[in-house]
Amino acid sequence: MPAHASADQSSSPDPSPDPSPDPLQRERAHLAASRAALRAMRADVESLDLSDVTGNWVNAAILQREMSDRIKALADLAHTPLFFGRLDYLHAPGLDGAGDRRDEQFYIGRRHVHDGHGDPMVIDWRAPVSQPFYRASRKDPLDVGLRRRFGYTGGELTAYEDEHLTDPAELDTTSALLAAEIERPRVGPMRDIVATIQPEQDEIVRADIHGTVCVQGAPGTGKTAVGLHRVAYLLYAHRERLARTGTLVIGPNRSFLHYIEQVLPALGELDVAQATVEELVSHVAVAGADLADTAVVKGDARMAAVLQRAVRSGIRLPTEPCVVVRGSRRWRVPAYELEELVQELMDRDIRYGAALAALPQRIAHAVLVKMENGGEAPDDRVQDAVARNPAVKAAVKAAWPAVDPAKLVFRLLSDPEFLAACADGILTPDEQRTVRWPKPPRSLRTAPWSLADAVLIDEARDLVERTHSLGHVVLDEAQDLSPMQYRAVGRRCTTGSATVLGDIAQGTTPWATASWAEALEHLGKPGSRVEALTKTFRVPSEVIGYASRLLPGIAPDLAPAESVRESRGALTVRRISPADPSPDDSAAYDSAADDSAALDAASALTPPAAPAALTDAVVAACRETLRQEGSVGLIAADARIPLLAAALDAAGLPHLDPGTETTAESRLTLVPATLAKGLEYDYVVLDEPAAIVDGEPDRRTGLRRLYVCLTRPVSGLTVLHSRDLPAALRV
């Protein structure tokens, strides 16, 4: 069947052995049978009696939890397709050695489903036999004769579409169902892309677990979804290993994490932790915020060397002997022997806390050697007792005092002399003044800790005691991290791997990443593979083309993204005058005509609108946009949010906060510009771009923030402004 034909138009034979003459009915029957088989699989687990298979209550509790997770994973999501494709192989590939069944036709879905005999009815998309669904092409069909995609409406299978990969007549065809799935209106949390993964995305998803992968992805290229699907794939391919070591997804804020949190459960993965960088380093309560210059210095990688000196600043080489009294005898360890022990620990690459634990044992061992030379025969219990001797404890405290990371950083930021000693030759005097608190707080509890301070404490903690390492970490929106924050994340995967996701052009912090090579160095994964995703499947070409005008000024080394979706009229740019708050009288500014001269003339001749006129126009645009199907995001500078919230309330337009799940009844979200990153909406109304730029500490960061906001829509963007647009957007 031609690739664009719907199921009801098909007349070609179907390879299915089902005798029904209607191919669509045969596929629906297979779907019904697969759902019934999944219910049976779940019922089998629910019916298991665990009372006689556990030795104690601890094992029983663990097993019960595992069974509960298994039952949840086998849930049939009514509005989520159980399978979304089918592969008909030219030759039977088998099932990668699992069982004796060898077949030529496989249904590809979100999870494995088998019938009562154990024969597969749906193959997990992560299985090796499923890979050609994403990789096969007419140029390289990978032994696939036919790839079938299914279309669903409300969970019901309503259409299918075939690609005959060996048929020369179909060389120029594209998938209408694939395009429809990408463009389907977005209501609710972020959806998975398991049915629409592209070959370049699939290559990243299935990359080996032993290597770290960094993805430079333009807006709409699916980099976040790729990262999440990579976690799901690794948990499938290396489940036992990652069950021991753990996985973690790190996002920029809680709103973002809430938005993406349903993707992995939809793929059957329930035990993936999520956190922000702030939550990772929550050793103190963050109650303050640094000025940009201060945060830049605190986030500089040189601070690691300052902290290294600070942690070891209390070490003193012994000048007095240690005398241990046991019974009637006295055992003397001379100062030079103690000095050798301390110096040896100083010279080794060993964490401060580990050395602190080792030093009393080494002093005790020196005493035991003297005891043996004196004719005694001490054992390990004697050594432990000597290590706890008050004289040994006193010698250790004098030479290698315990370090509290929070107190150490508190002292660094409060004591100019201590900071100067630790930062000499590392930070300039001006930089030292920048990082110090202007007025030292009275105590740890009253200290105005910032996020950068918490990261410093985390670094100090790792210098004292090793941070637990996970098997795999996904770091999203990585371009906004400082070098010290990269180090904090890297500590969580020193013995594991990472997937780093970001876009240099969307860096909106003063310390934003300059290059991925530099970022990977700070992360502790130098030389890792860097992949670029440049095809945007989400953002219409008209919108991404408009936003890309900013790239020469914010990320000159990046090539503009190429959209695979043409959508005329997806972009409207309108200047609002005090006399024209209505969106209905603005045809002259519709960028569908791409009349740059008209935009320039309007900007030059129209005076800036009063705030009320712009606000009224924004409310009217939201009301108009809500007539369309799908979600709507109103994005504005943070300072404008209270005013717009009040205006929406007065107009009777209910609105949600970012990260709150949209519903069919409540589809409008009011989004501060600083929280827009990573989110997406079918339609976006963008309020006053100049205010978004002005809301950042410098113009480049402001333009990058604007670039983020411009690239949030899936179907349409309306830009409303009363002030001049940035020059690049008026060209």
Side-chain angles (χ1 to χ4, degrees):
M1 183 175 77
H4 283 297
S6 70
D8 297 326
Q9 297 170 324
S10 172
S11 60
S12 61
D14 189 274
S16 170
D18 193 308
S20 172
D22 185 349
L24 183 59
Q25 290 302 321
R26 291 204 299 270
E27 300 296 14
R28 286 173 172 168
H30 187 79
L31 175 62
S34 299
R35 289 195 183 280
L38 180 61
R39 289 193 296 271
M41 290 169 62
R42 184 173 183 177
D44 286 345
V45 178
E46 291 174 330
S47 65
L48 292 176
D49 184 2
L50 306 179
S51 58
D52 295 329
V53 297
T54 55
N56 54 59
W57 70 269
V58 175
N59 291 340
I62 294 173
L63 185 57
Q64 186 59 56
R65 178 185 174 184
E66 291 179 351
M67 298 307 293
S68 297
D69 289 345
R70 176 63 175 163
I71 291 170
K72 291 179 182 177
L74 290 172
D76 186 3
L77 306 177
H79 296 288
T80 302
L82 187 57
F83 57 79
F84 45 81
R86 197 183 87 189
L87 288 178
D88 292 1
Y89 280 90
L90 297 175
H91 305 90
L95 286 177
D96 197 34
D100 298 327
R101 176 186 171 96
R102 299 180 65 83
D103 211 338
E104 297 179 9
Q105 186 180 98
F106 299 94
Y107 287 83
I108 312 302
R110 299 167 185 280
R111 66 178 69 255
H112 174 86
V113 179
H114 59 256
D115 62 18
H117 302 289
D119 294 328
M121 302 185 70
V122 180
I123 304 297
D124 194 300
W125 67 275
R126 297 167 287 188
V129 76
S130 302
Q131 185 171 336
F133 184 79
Y134 304 107
R135 301 278 187 93
S137 65
R138 292 177 180 87
K139 184 177 180 180
D140 184 11
L142 299 177
D143 201 40
V144 174
L146 179 142
R147 173 168 53 203
R148 175 168 288 180
R149 300 182 190 273
F150 297 105
Y152 288 82
T153 302
E156 293 296 321
L157 197 161
T158 55
Y160 71 83
E161 177 183 78
D162 286 346
E163 295 173 85
H164 297 88
L165 299 181
T166 57
D167 186 352
E170 295 187 13
L171 287 179
D172 296 327
T173 60
T174 57
S175 172
L177 286 182
L178 181 63
E181 173 62 23
I182 292 173
E183 298 175 12
R184 183 159 55 93
R186 284 153 168 74
V187 175
M190 178 181 175
R191 296 200 307 263
D192 61 70
I193 61 166
V194 64
T196 63
I197 294 174
Q198 300 299 297
E200 63 270 25
Q201 296 173 326
D202 188 67
E203 184 177 348
I204 297 170
V205 167
R206 298 175 191 265
D208 189 80
I209 190 175
H210 299 290
T212 288
V213 179
C214 177
V215 181
Q216 160 60 42
T221 54
K223 57 183 176 295
T224 295
V226 165
L228 295 175
H229 285 68
R230 175 157 168 72
V231 171
Y233 171 77
L234 292 177
L235 285 168
Y236 174 88
H238 307 277
R239 188 167 302 279
E240 183 176 344
R241 171 178 175 173
L242 292 179
R244 295 193 310 269
T245 56
T247 54
L248 176 66
V249 174
I250 302 174
N253 53 60
R254 267 290 143 193
S255 295
F256 175 83
L257 292 176
H258 183 71
Y259 177 64
I260 68 171
E261 67 184 359
Q262 294 303 316
V263 172
L264 289 169
L267 299 173
E269 300 300 341
L270 305 174
D271 292 328
V272 179
Q274 297 182 348
T276 65
V277 172
E278 183 171 344
E279 290 166 345
L280 284 184
V281 299
S282 58
H283 313 300
V284 292
V286 174
D290 291 315
L291 296 175
D293 291 346
T294 302
V296 167
V297 179
K298 287 182 178 179
D300 193 291
R302 292 174 296 162
M303 289 300 299
V306 175
L307 288 167
Q308 177 79 24
R309 286 184 183 177
V311 166
R312 291 177 167 256
S313 62
I315 299 175
R316 298 290 181 269
L317 294 177
T319 58
E320 299 291 334
C322 176
V323 179
V324 176
V325 178
R326 284 187 59 82
S328 60
R329 304 194 66 174
R330 296 161 60 90
W331 306 99
R332 183 176 182 274
V333 181
Y336 76 88
E337 286 191 30
L338 296 176
E339 181 179 342
E340 289 175 355
L341 295 176
V342 172
Q343 189 64 56
E344 180 188 0
L345 291 174
M346 290 176 63
D347 293 340
R348 291 184 58 189
D349 185 17
I350 183 172
R351 278 176 168 75
Y352 190 90
L356 177 60
L359 183 56
Q361 289 291 334
R362 297 197 174 197
I363 296 175
H365 178 73
V367 172
L368 260 66
V369 169
K370 298 180 184 303
M371 289 181 176
E372 291 171 349
N373 292 337
E376 297 189 12
D379 55 20
D380 291 343
R381 290 175 297 175
V382 174
Q383 179 168 327
D384 290 338
V386 172
R388 296 192 299 269
N389 185 276
V392 174
K393 287 184 176 181
V396 170
K397 184 177 181 180
W400 205 283
V403 170
D404 180 288
K407 290 181 179 178
L408 182 79
V409 175
F410 182 91
R411 185 183 175 194
L412 267 179
L413 302 180
S414 304
D415 186 340
E417 293 183 0
F418 182 57
L419 177 60
C422 296
D424 183 39
I426 300 175
L427 301 180
T428 67
D430 285 344
E431 288 174 325
Q432 294 174 33
R433 283 190 292 271
T434 298
V435 301
R436 289 200 312 266
W437 283 319
K439 182 180 179 181
R442 299 177 61 183
S443 66
L444 287 173
R445 293 185 58 186
T446 61
W449 298 112
S450 66
L451 175 57
D453 298 334
V455 174
L456 295 179
I457 294 173
D458 190 72
E459 179 84 24
R461 285 174 62 93
D462 188 69
L463 290 169
V464 176
E465 299 290 343
R466 183 182 298 275
T467 303
H468 174 66
S469 177
L470 300 167
H472 193 78
V473 170
V474 173
L475 175 61
D476 205 352
E477 301 297 347
Q479 73 280 344
D480 279 337
L481 269 61
S482 70
M484 291 299 288
Q485 288 173 327
Y486 277 117
R487 291 176 61 88
V489 174
R491 286 191 282 278
R492 272 74 186 179
C493 56
T494 52
T495 59
S497 56
T499 301
V500 182
L501 312 166
D503 180 10
I504 297 295
Q506 296 185 60
T508 51
T509 55
W511 51 84
T513 300
S515 72
W516 291 121
E518 179 183 330
L520 290 167
E521 186 76 31
H522 295 312
L523 192 70
K525 307 291 183 182
S528 295
R529 168 182 167 192
V530 179
E531 295 286 347
L533 295 177
T534 57
K535 288 185 179 180
T536 174
F537 304 94
R538 174 175 58 79
V539 186
S541 59
E542 197 172 1
V543 174
I544 195 65
Y546 184 69
S548 294
R549 296 180 186 180
L550 297 172
L551 285 179
I554 62 176
D557 294 333
L558 293 184
E562 176 188 352
S563 178
V564 300
R565 297 176 52 220
E566 294 289 341
S567 182
R568 292 290 294 172
L571 172 65
T572 299
V573 180
R574 184 182 309 125
R575 184 159 192 161
I576 304 301
S577 70
D580 183 21
S582 170
D584 299 325
D585 301 325
S586 57
Y589 304 107
D590 191 332
S591 70
D594 196 23
D595 190 350
S596 299
L599 286 174
D600 288 339
S603 298
L605 298 176
T606 307
L614 178 61
T615 301
D616 290 345
V618 168
V619 172
C622 289
R623 191 185 302 278
E624 180 70 20
T625 307
L626 283 168
R627 296 177 185 175
Q628 306 291 331
E629 184 182 3
S631 58
V632 179
L634 169 54
I635 304 178
D638 291 32
R640 293 259 304 159
I641 292 297
L643 177 64
L644 292 173
L648 292 173
D649 291 338
L653 292 179
H655 53 90
L656 306 170
D657 295 327
T660 304
E661 186 172 328
T662 56
T663 65
E665 295 74 28
S666 188
R667 298 182 289 117
L668 175 61
T669 303
L670 180 57
V671 187
T674 55
L675 295 183
K677 193 171 298 180
L679 305 181
E680 61 183 28
Y681 303 93
D682 287 291
Y683 296 90
V684 166
V685 176
L686 185 64
D687 170 83
E688 196 64 277
I692 293 174
V693 176
D694 292 345
E696 299 299 328
D698 61 83
R699 186 163 180 78
R700 190 191 73 160
T701 302
L703 291 174
R704 285 184 168 187
R705 181 75 68 188
L706 178 58
Y707 178 77
V708 170
C709 297
L710 288 169
T711 55
R712 298 306 94 200
V714 175
S715 298
L717 170 66
T718 299
V719 179
L720 300 175
H721 66 104
S722 62
R723 298 166 54 189
D724 287 345
L725 292 171
L729 299 182
R730 289 185 273 122
V731 175

